């Protein structure tokens, strides 16, 4: 009986991809290791090998097809003596290629996430009539770095695989070609060392962007980030400056286990001397990364791998820079204030769509910056709605949401009609199993339950 | 043949006397700091440099104004030798407004961008990537400055030192790594903490050359420093200088140094003291007279007394300083 060859997942977060090219044709005999096709994600083009021996029956997906879902049949493989009309087994084992390296979980889903049904308020800081261009967060981050590097020769990028490899997550795509290897620098795998080298260069007035392949690896560099970058201005009585940006994906991607899935929002947000930014939308990613690069302080820029491939409007402006430390009211509402940041905003938008259908009017605040915290925007909203829920994915102990709740209780206690609700990642190391991982992360259902609880609705 | 009554090279004689004076200033300053600590005027940790003076003074004699320096927490000598004021350093030790960090840094955390002194760092070994980064900036800017990165035999066992060595050689960064081997990592002797006691060889697996230097001989330090700085400045990459030196006092003021026999320190002081022996040499060579050295001593004492006076009369920082200089 013929078996199916299925579209492989080439990274932990890949959901679909492009079948760029077939390297076999119908009737070809293949064996284990024969390269069947080239599959393109938004990050890389990878070769896809056969696992089983046989003869190619039918090619089910034409070369050049985009958006081919993972596990969709793409060809049939015939056993000896079968012809192309042979019946196909339904439950063929998927022929899966391995991702190239565990430390470089590849691309996020290529498809743009459908625009949420919730209407998102325009950023009031934009001039009326500004043209908007749909852009992925990935490209927005790249554009921010490229624009700042064009503007200021003291800005440079260093990190693992940022240059020749074009970025482990493709964020630095094309930068080496434009700026050369003096300013786009591949480092050895040595986070503690290159974080310190970046800080030393910043002490001398250069403006490094240090990319961590993920923030999980920055724990190796924690001492330099906190003790050398964050504290030196203070310890020097204001004489020294450390204009540096540390950036990279933060939090859980998908199925990469406890050591690659931590969300560091609460750790860095607790440190005086740092600014901490955690955007969700592409425009914020761009405008705030540009601001971070220009900022004279060390800035922690927390991105999210799941968000890299999402597409949002970015204003078409010559120099779009946003202020650090300003939250944004993403959507106005009157029954409850939901405060979030980073991927939590996406979760919130999904939940709000359902909550509004049930008649609960939600105001959504995207903090965008965690330190300094724009508590005034939150308090103003709570005074209107009298209820608050915070949504985030980091561990609950001392999380930014916990801090928001504490400040709201201290400053607006009399306005609250219910205790603050809190949705976080669960208080466990990230498990690997699919069901356990889902349970460990904040979910849409968690948000809905928390909002209903503070509204005393069931 | 009778020895000449005057020095053969007056210009050099002045430079030699200057080195003597710089070393003596560090010695007297540190003695006074120890005294102020005992009186409760200096708090926290206070790591004295007594015994190691020839290292920083010899290196500064070899350096040019465009070269940077960075070190760990035994840093008072480095600051004085690079021209930072005794008043500002001593007032920082007492935590006063007149200190280099306006009282917010303390003994281990002072900086002078003006003198290209980049600290003053409290975490053992952390200054090594930072100094390598300063060298990176020199190369990026295309100036021909070299960063002199100081660390001790104890710090030489930190992993980030070798991460730095690797990148410094890979990218040919203009950095001189000066390992001040004073024989003890806090209370643990080299024999007890290092598998390889020859620190000049610590760069071998990165192809970084190293030189062992008598760190108690200021002229030997200066000569080696010139050679190393010239090597790094010429684009050949990093180089290591192992300075064989000795600290007379404990690790910090609270360390009685019971881990070594008292005779050991006494013997070094007797036979190899960097200041006494250099003074004798100057007299023997006719560079200076006993009287010249006495005059230097008087001048140095005066500077130190003034610094102690300034450091005890300068007010404590205003309370509003608690919340300044965090971010701007």
């Amino acid at each position: 009986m013929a078996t199916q060859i299925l579209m492989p997942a080439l990274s932990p977060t890949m959901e679909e991809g492009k079948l760029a090219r077939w390297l076999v044709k119908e009737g070809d005999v293949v064996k284990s290791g024969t390269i069947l096709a080239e599959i393109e994600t938004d990050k890389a083009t990878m070769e896809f090998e056969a696992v089983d021996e046989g003869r190619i029956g039918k090619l089910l997906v034409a070369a050049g097809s985009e958006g081919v879902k993972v596990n969709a049949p793409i060809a049939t493989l015939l056993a000896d003596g079968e012809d192309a009309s042979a019946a196909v087994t339904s439950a063929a084992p998927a022929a899966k290629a391995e991702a190239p390296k565990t430390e470089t979980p590849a691309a996020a889903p290529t498809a743009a996430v459908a625009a949420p049904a919730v209407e998102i308020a325009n950023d009031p800081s934009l001039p009326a009539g500004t043209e908007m261009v749909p852009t992925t967060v990935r490209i927005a981050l790249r554009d921010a770095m490229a624009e700042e590097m064009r503007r200021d020769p003291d800005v440079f990028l260093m990190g693992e695989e940022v240059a020749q490899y074009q970025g482990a997550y493709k964020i630095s795509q094309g930068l080496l070609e434009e700026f050369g290897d003096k300013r786009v620098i591949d480092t050895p795998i040595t986070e503690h060392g290159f974080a310190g080298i970046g800080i030393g260069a910043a002490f001398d007035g250069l403006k490094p962007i240090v990319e961590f392949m993920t923030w999980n690896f920055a724990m190796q560099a924690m001492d330099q980030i906190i003790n050398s970058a964050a504290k030196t201005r203070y310890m020097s009585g204001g004489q020294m400056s450390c204009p540096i940006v540390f950036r990279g994906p933060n939090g859980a991607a998908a199925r990469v286990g406890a050591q690659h899935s931590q969300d560091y929002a609460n750790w860095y947000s607790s440190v005086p001397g740092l600014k901490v930014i955690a955007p969700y939308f592409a425009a914020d990613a761009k405008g705030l990364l540009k601001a971070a690069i220009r900022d004279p302080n060390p800035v922690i820029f927390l991105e999210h791998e799941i968000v890299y491939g999402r597409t949002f409007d970015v204003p078409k402006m010559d120099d779009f820079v946003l202020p650090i430390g300003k939250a944004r009211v993403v959507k106005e509402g009157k029954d409850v204030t939901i405060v979030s940041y980073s991927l939590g905003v996406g979760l919130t938008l999904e939940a709000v769509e359902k909550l509004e259908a049930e008649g609960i009017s939600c105001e959504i605040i995207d903090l965008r910056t965690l330190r300094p915290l724009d508590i005034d925007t939150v308090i103003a909203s709570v005074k209107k709605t009298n209820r608050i829920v915070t949504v985030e994915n980091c561990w609950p102990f001392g999380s930014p949401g916990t801090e928001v709740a504490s400040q709201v209780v201290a400053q607006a206690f009399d306005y609250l009609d219910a205790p603050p609700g809190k949705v976080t990642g669960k208080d466990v190391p990230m498990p690997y199993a699919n069901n356990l991982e889902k349970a460990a992360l904040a979910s849409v259902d968690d948000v809905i339950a928390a909002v209903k609880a503070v509204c005393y609705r069931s | 043949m009778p020895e000449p009554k005057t020095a053969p090279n007056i210009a050099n004689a002045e430079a030699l006397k200057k080195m003597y004076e710089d070393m003596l200033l560090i010695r007297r300053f540190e003695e006074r700091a120890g005294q102020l600590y005992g009186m409760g005027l200096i708090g926290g940790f206070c790591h004295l440099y007594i015994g190691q003076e020839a290292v920083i003074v010899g290196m500064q004699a070899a350096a040019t104004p465009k070269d940077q320096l960075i070190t760990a927490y035994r840093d008072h000598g480095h600051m004085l030798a690079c021209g930072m004021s005794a008043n500002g350093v001593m007032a920082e030790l007492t935590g006063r407004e007149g200190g280099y960090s306006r009282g917010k840094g303390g003994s281990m955390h002072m900086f002078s961008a003006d003198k290209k002194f980049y600290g003053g760092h409290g975490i053992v070994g952390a200054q090594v990537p930072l100094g390598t980064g300063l060298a990176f900036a020199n190369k990026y800017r295309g100036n021909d400055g070299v960063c002199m990165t100081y660390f001790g035999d104890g710090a030489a066992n930190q992993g980030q030192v070798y991460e730095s060595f690797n990148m410094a050689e890979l990218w040919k960064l203009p950095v001189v790594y000066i390992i001040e081997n004073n024989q003890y990592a806090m209370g643990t002797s080299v024999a007890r903490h290092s598998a390889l006691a020859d620190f000049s060889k610590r760069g071998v697996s990165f192809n970084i050359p190293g030189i062992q230097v008598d760190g108690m001989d200021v002229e030997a330090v200066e000569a080696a420093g010139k050679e190393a700085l010239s090597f790094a400045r010429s684009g050949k990459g990093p180089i290591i200088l192992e300075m064989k030196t000795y600290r007379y006092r404990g690790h910090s003021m609270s360390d009685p140094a019971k881990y070594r026999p008292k005779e050991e320190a006494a013997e070094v002081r007797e036979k190899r003291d960097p200041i006494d022996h250099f003074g004798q040499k100057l007299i023997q060579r006719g560079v200076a007279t006993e009287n010249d050295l006495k005059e230097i001593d008087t001048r140095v004492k005066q500077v130190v007394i003034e610094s102690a006076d300034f450091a005890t009369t300068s007010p404590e920082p205003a309370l509003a300083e608690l919340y300044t200089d965090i971010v701007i």
Side-chain angles (χ1 to χ4, degrees), chain A residues 153 155-156 182-183 185 190 192-194 196-197 199-201 204 206 224 233-237 239-240 273 297, chain B residues 68 100-102 104-105 109 111-113 118 126 129-130 133-134 136 140-141 160 163 322 324-328:
Chain A
V155 177
F156 68 93
K182 183 190 162 192
R183 297 181 68 195
I185 302 154
T190 179
H192 198 181
F194 70 72
I197 286 179
I199 294 163
D204 201 65
L206 294 181
Q224 288 290 358
R233 185 187 301 284
Y234 195 80
M235 295 192 303
S236 68
Q239 260 199 81
M240 299 285 294
N297 303 288
Chain B
Q68 308 115 315
Y100 266 98
S101 298
R102 300 214 304 280
K104 290 157 79 167
H109 310 296
F111 305 82
S112 169
Y118 287 87
L130 298 173
L134 290 161
F136 175 95
Y140 188 91
R141 294 183 194 285
Q160 58 185 320
E163 298 189 30
L322 183 61
T324 61
D325 308 321
I326 299 167
V327 292
I328 57 169

Side-chain angles (χ1 to χ4, degrees), chain B residues 193-235:
Chain B
H193 73 63
S194 280
L196 174 68
D198 183 346
F199 291 91
S200 70
K201 291 186 181 151
R202 286 294 180 101
V204 166
S205 67
F206 306 93
N207 207 23
I208 300 176
I211 305 169
Q212 264 189 338
V213 185
D214 179 359
M216 306 300 271
D217 178 347
V218 72
E219 289 176 290
V221 172
E222 184 191 9
K226 280 183 171 157
E227 186 183 338
L229 284 160
S230 153
F231 180 91
R233 208 183 308 284
S234 68

Side-chain angles (χ1 to χ4, degrees), chain A residues 37 54 60 101 107 128-129 137 167 195 197 200 218 290 376 449 453:
Chain A
L60 303 171
K101 181 177 168 221
V137 170
I197 286 179
K290 280 166 67 76
D376 293 348

Side-chain angles (χ1 to χ4, degrees), chain B residues 21-281:
Chain B
E21 182 163 349
D22 287 351
M23 288 195 290
L24 195 65
L25 174 65
I26 295 171
R27 175 74 54 95
R28 297 282 173 261
F29 181 97
E30 294 288 65
E31 287 164 352
R32 182 66 54 154
Q35 185 191 40
L36 295 184
Y37 191 93
M39 293 161 69
L41 290 161
I42 295 173
F45 296 131
C46 186
H47 309 88
L48 301 181
Y49 197 64
I50 296 174
Q52 301 180 215
E53 297 91 342
V55 176
I56 187 61
V57 169
M59 284 305 299
Q60 281 304 110
T64 72
K66 54 197 158 191
D67 300 328
Q68 308 115 315
L69 67 158
I70 187 167
T71 187
Y73 43 76
R74 198 177 305 285
D75 55 356
H76 312 159
H78 298 70
M79 293 187 276
L80 296 172
C82 75
M84 290 167 68
S85 85
N87 283 8
V89 177
M90 195 69 95
E92 189 59 39
L93 298 186
T94 54
R96 305 300 175 96
E97 187 183 85
Y100 266 98
S101 298
R102 300 214 304 280
K104 290 157 79 167
S107 164
M108 301 185 283
H109 310 296
M110 277 179 258
F111 305 82
S112 169
D114 187 36
K115 302 289 181 193
K116 294 200 182 320
F117 178 73
Y118 287 87
H121 295 271
I123 305 297
V124 174
Q127 76 278 20
V128 181
L130 298 173
T132 309
L134 290 161
F136 175 95
N138 292 338
K139 181 161 185 186
Y140 188 91
R141 294 183 194 285
N143 64 34
D144 65 348
V146 175
C147 183
M148 295 171 287
T149 302
Y150 293 84
F151 54 102
D153 49 289
N157 293 327
Q158 285 279 25
Q160 58 185 320
V161 169
Y162 299 92
E163 298 189 30
S164 303
F165 281 3
N166 183 45
M167 285 180 276
E169 177 64 23
L170 187 66
W171 298 335
K172 297 286 179 197
L173 300 180
V175 54
V176 177
Y177 295 113
I178 300 133
I179 304 178
E180 298 194 58
N181 177 4
N182 67 14
Q183 321 294 329
Y184 292 91
M186 198 168 156
T188 306
S189 65
V190 166
R192 292 174 58 230
H193 73 63
S194 280
L196 174 68
D198 183 346
F199 291 91
S200 70
K201 291 186 181 151
R202 286 294 180 101
V204 166
S205 67
F206 306 93
N207 207 23
I208 300 176
I211 305 169
Q212 264 189 338
V213 185
D214 179 359
M216 306 300 271
D217 178 347
V218 72
E219 289 176 290
V221 172
E222 184 191 9
K226 280 183 171 157
E227 186 183 338
L229 284 160
S230 153
F231 180 91
R233 208 183 308 284
S234 68
K236 291 180 185 155
I239 182 167
I240 293 167
L241 295 179
E242 181 196 356
M243 300 290 177
K244 304 278 276 185
T245 183
Y246 197 83
R247 79 168 137 75
Y248 294 174
R249 298 292 189 97
H251 167 71
S252 67
M253 286 303 296
S254 52
D255 168 22
K258 293 248 167 85
Y259 41 82
R260 65 187 188 195
K262 279 209 174 331
E263 298 74 32
E264 183 182 291
E267 193 182 331
V268 176
R269 198 183 268 266
E270 169 71 25
K271 294 186 175 158
R272 297 174 61 207
D273 185 81
I275 301 173
D276 288 352
H277 282 82
F278 189 56
Q280 290 307 312
K281 264 192 210 170

Side-chain angles (χ1 to χ4, degrees), chain A residues 298-329:
Chain A
V299 180
I300 304 293
F301 202 89
L302 304 173
E303 301 158 9
H304 204 296
E305 187 191 338
I306 300 290
V307 174
Y308 280 153
R310 295 191 181 178
T311 300
F312 304 101
D313 282 347
V314 171
K316 190 175 181 181
M317 290 168 69
D318 286 344
D319 193 22
F320 173 64
V321 185
L322 286 169
I324 296 172
K326 290 277 177 236
R328 183 160 83 90
V329 178

